Amino acid sequence: MKRLEKLYEGKAKILYATDNPDLLIQYFKDEATAFDGKKKGIIKEKGILNNKISSRIFQYLEDKGIPTHFVERPSDREMAVKKMQIIPIEVVVRNIAAGSLAKRMGVEEGTPLKKTILEFYYKSDPLGDPMINDYHIEAFGLAQKFEADVLKEMALEINGYLSKFFDERGITLVDFKLEFGRHKGQILLGDEITPDGCRLWDKQTKEKMDKDRFRRDMGKIEEAYQEVCRKVLE
Ligand code: TMP
Ligand code: ASP
């Protein structure tokens, strides 16, 4: 497979065409952003670590029967993925109150939830990813009703597998964001699953091991990503 022209550059990744019309290369950068790109920085080797972490997790989910866009990891920063039509919805799954939910509901970070929460956001940088619900999805034609139902079902199933995966490695999966796309009539999990888009807390010490360390200037960011990578690859 040969890497061809750049198709799209996002905040953390670049998408390239390949000589296979069904496949793209997703290239992982070290750039980190937060608060809709208002905060910018570099997390050294993040691209390499996130590619390793995400590849391992996609492989694990595939083994459990979850269809993903993952094909292979041909190099340190490159992931070969199936070409998808992106569904412009970010699905956030929350097991414990943190971040924007804790703020919105006026509770402390770490407050347990009686039930897992699913949230939808409209994927739009200029609008700052506004929160939406099932009605907005249908009314604005972002996805069909049956597709929204599939996203919910897949997100909850993925949450079950990932919560167990991280728990076995001494990490609590607090919340995370998923993106999906359409490929040959099937809905696939896309994007990445990394400490950029998950809240991961050390089970014993509750120490943060994710991008909140960057968002909140907590230091030891590279170390946290390396530790997650080491545990994920166990
Ligand atoms: P939030 O508490 O800021 O809404 O974030 C919830 C989860 O979603 C958290 O694990 C980080 C992830 N997330 C992203 O991956 N991208 C985003 O743009 C936002 C806002 C959150
Ligand atoms: N990814 C988003 C941004 O770059 C938000 C975040 O992860 O905090 O602004």
Side-chain angles (χ1 to χ4, degrees):
M1 185 188 26
K2 226 175 113 202
R3 189 168 108 184
L4 301 176
E5 78 275 14
K6 188 198 279 191
L7 297 176
Y8 171 80
E9 179 154 5
K11 293 190 292 261
K13 297 188 294 296
I14 306 173
L15 273 183
Y16 293 93
T18 72
D19 53 0
N20 180 334
D22 278 339
L23 298 185
L24 301 178
I25 294 279
Q26 182 166 264
Y27 178 95
F28 287 74
K29 305 192 282 185
D30 287 348
E31 272 91 344
T33 65
F35 315 119
D36 297 321
K38 286 186 208 72
K39 185 182 170 92
K40 287 194 176 76
I42 299 277
I43 302 178
K44 235 176 97 219
E45 310 264 280
K46 172 168 85 80
I48 296 170
L49 295 166
N50 276 359
N51 192 20
K52 278 192 184 145
I53 293 168
S54 210
S55 297
R56 171 73 185 93
I57 290 177
F58 280 138
Q59 191 58 64
Y60 167 79
L61 290 173
E62 285 279 349
D63 292 346
K64 298 289 182 191
I66 303 283
T68 79
H69 70 160
F70 177 74
V71 177
E72 59 174 350
R73 187 171 62 93
S75 77
D76 263 1
R77 289 177 182 274
E78 292 175 322
M79 181 191 284
V81 297
K82 291 175 190 155
K83 188 175 186 170
M84 301 193 295
Q85 185 198 14
I86 292 294
I87 298 173
I89 297 171
E90 298 190 351
V91 183
V92 169
V93 183
R94 301 183 187 269
N95 296 309
I96 294 172
S100 70
L101 175 69
K103 208 165 166 187
R104 182 158 20 99
M105 295 304 290
V107 299
E108 263 199 49
E109 274 214 318
T111 303
L113 300 170
K114 292 194 169 63
K115 190 178 182 315
T116 296
I117 293 176
L118 284 188
E119 293 170 350
F120 292 127
Y121 294 85
Y122 174 40
K123 196 172 153 55
S124 162
D125 276 339
L127 298 177
D129 299 345
M131 194 196 272
I132 54 173
N133 64 30
D134 294 66
Y135 286 89
H136 302 83
I137 290 176
E138 272 193 78
F140 287 92
L142 306 181
Q144 296 190 46
K145 187 182 178 323
F146 85 91
E147 291 179 315
D149 291 340
V150 172
L151 298 196
K152 287 191 229 174
E153 222 173 277
M154 284 178 74
L156 290 175
E157 208 181 345
I158 291 165
N159 183 42
Y161 292 131
L162 286 188
S163 294
K164 180 167 177 287
F165 179 88
F166 281 111
D167 185 74
E168 286 168 355
R169 289 161 175 79
I171 296 174
T172 303
L173 178 60
V174 173
D175 57 31
F176 58 101
K177 185 257 299 175
L178 299 172
E179 295 185 28
F180 298 87
R182 308 175 183 97
H183 173 86
K184 299 187 174 174
Q186 199 184 19
I187 292 182
L188 306 182
L189 175 64
D191 194 45
E192 63 177 76
I193 297 183
T194 67
D196 274 14
C198 300
R199 282 199 175 89
L200 304 168
W201 293 354
D202 184 290
K203 222 163 91 177
Q204 248 82 54
T205 65
K206 304 268 196 294
E207 187 147 28
K208 297 186 197 312
M209 306 172 74
D210 56 64
K211 204 168 93 176
D212 271 348
R213 302 198 73 85
F214 168 77
R215 295 188 188 99
R216 303 176 190 188
D217 294 320
M218 298 171 76
K220 294 216 160 94
I221 305 168
E222 283 86 1
E223 289 86 341
Y225 277 65
Q226 279 160 8
E227 182 67 0
V228 170
C229 188
R230 194 181 61 74
K231 290 190 165 172
V232 162
L233 298 185
E234 255 172 26

